[in-house]
Amino acid sequence: MALQVGLVGLPNVGKSTLFNAVSQAGAEAANFPFCTIDPNVGVVAVPDARLTRLAELAQSAKVVPTAIEFVDIAGLVAGASQGEGLGNQFLAHIREVDAICNVVRCFEDDDIVHVSGSVDPARDIEVITTELVLADLATTEKRLERATRAARSGDKDLARERDQVLALRDHLAEGHVARTFAGDLEPSVARELSLLTAKPVLYAANVAEDDLPDGNAHVDVVRKLAEEEGAEVVVISAQVEAELAELEGPERDEYLASLGLERSGLERLIDRAYRLLGLLTYFTAGPKESRAWTVPAGSTAPRAAREIHTDFERGFIKAEVIAFDDYDRLGSEAAAREAGRLRIEGKEYVVADGDVIHFRFNV
């Protein structure tokens, strides 16, 4: 499954600079609003030291990491929900992604004009949240009109659906995001509405290099707001990520260490995105290739097998499973089998993060 994270933010917050750094896909970065008009999509390999180790142990000819897609979406301005700026395109593109990464400017720089004239993370977050809530409110009101008409038939199920949509509409009208709606909503209605503010959000607090690794007073504001809505925050420097993208090996490690960081902002961003979306990674390993696969947490073995091919799920017989730590410690599949650390699991087995799996199937 290809995870898509939409990078959003006001113009000139460092969003496209960050996108360029993490994807090296070359989106235009310029000091004026709307330089990114069509969404740019960058496919990024997910760093995972476990995969590197597996490939080494299995002497794999090929290594295939799992991937994450970052979508750089046109900068938003107040009034986007009414079509201001590139609002309609922005909202349509956001609807397609799995999670939203709101890049918030937390650095001062007189040479880079802020669209609102000053650096104020709380105001910037409110602008974007308000526009998304207003767009969701318009969607929900249309759905409520239909639900109200349908409920006139006297059908109790339709009346209950109308009441649920009405409660959601009132929640949004008070300025709250759909993520915090505590009422009931039929899953089919939720899917149909596809609300923007129902999507999981993480904040990328974009700071100057000198403010790494912990941030500054602007970041503290972002953290407080994120905590209130149960969102995640990653302190990142788009400029540093751009420099890291040019470095490799020891040179890269030394630069990270000099900043007090063990991992790049990209790696921390991916970790948080996986956690937000409830995803995990399992592996397949052998002489031909070692490969990482992404599945939702709670996936059964046949569901995980589907990521490789639908035939694997359809004809599933069993899964031979070794925990990564056992594989790493014992050094090979054969050694794990000898030590009794290879388990045979059936259709009900729930895959764990780091499992190394060989599927048996017949179609």
Side-chain angles (χ1 to χ4, degrees), residues 119-178:
V119 177
D120 184 342
R123 177 203 58 214
D124 293 356
I125 288 171
E126 185 180 5
V127 167
I128 288 190
T129 301
T130 298
E131 293 308 319
L132 298 184
V133 168
L134 288 171
D136 282 350
L137 185 57
T139 300
T140 305
E141 284 178 336
K142 285 179 187 172
R143 185 66 182 81
L144 180 59
E145 287 174 15
R146 283 174 35 219
T148 302
R149 284 197 302 271
R152 288 179 190 144
S153 67
D155 184 297
K156 287 183 181 178
D157 289 340
L158 293 174
R160 185 172 64 252
E161 185 177 298
R162 175 204 58 207
D163 293 344
Q164 290 174 354
V165 178
L166 175 60
L168 173 62
R169 193 280 310 272
D170 291 345
H171 178 80
L172 292 166
E174 290 171 2
H176 303 304
V177 295

Side-chain angles (χ1 to χ4, degrees), residues 59-72:
Q59 299 183 328
S60 305
K62 187 177 175 185
V63 184
V64 185
T66 188
I68 185 169
E69 291 183 3
F70 283 97
V71 184
D72 184 24

Side-chain angles (χ1 to χ4, degrees), residues 191-228:
R191 283 194 299 273
E192 181 190 339
L193 287 169
S194 186
L195 297 179
L196 304 173
T197 63
K199 293 181 184 293
V201 168
L202 63 87
Y203 292 101
N206 187 18
V207 300
E209 179 178 327
D210 292 345
D211 288 320
L212 289 171
D214 299 320
N216 53 29
H218 291 313
V219 176
D220 292 339
V221 172
V222 178
R223 286 194 180 108
K224 185 173 185 299
L225 290 169
E227 187 178 352
E228 289 169 3

Side-chain angles (χ1 to χ4, degrees), residues 1-56:
M1 58 187 295
L3 167 65
Q4 271 205 339
V5 175
L7 296 177
V8 305
L10 294 176
N12 295 349
V13 298
K15 178 172 58 65
S16 291
T17 302
L18 177 60
F19 173 81
N20 288 350
V22 300
S23 71
Q24 298 178 323
E28 180 186 359
N31 182 20
F32 56 88
F34 313 132
C35 64
T36 311
I37 295 176
D38 294 315
N40 294 270
V41 180
V43 181
V44 185
V46 175
D48 197 320
R50 297 173 300 180
L51 178 63
T52 307
R53 175 65 174 154
L54 278 174
E56 178 188 309

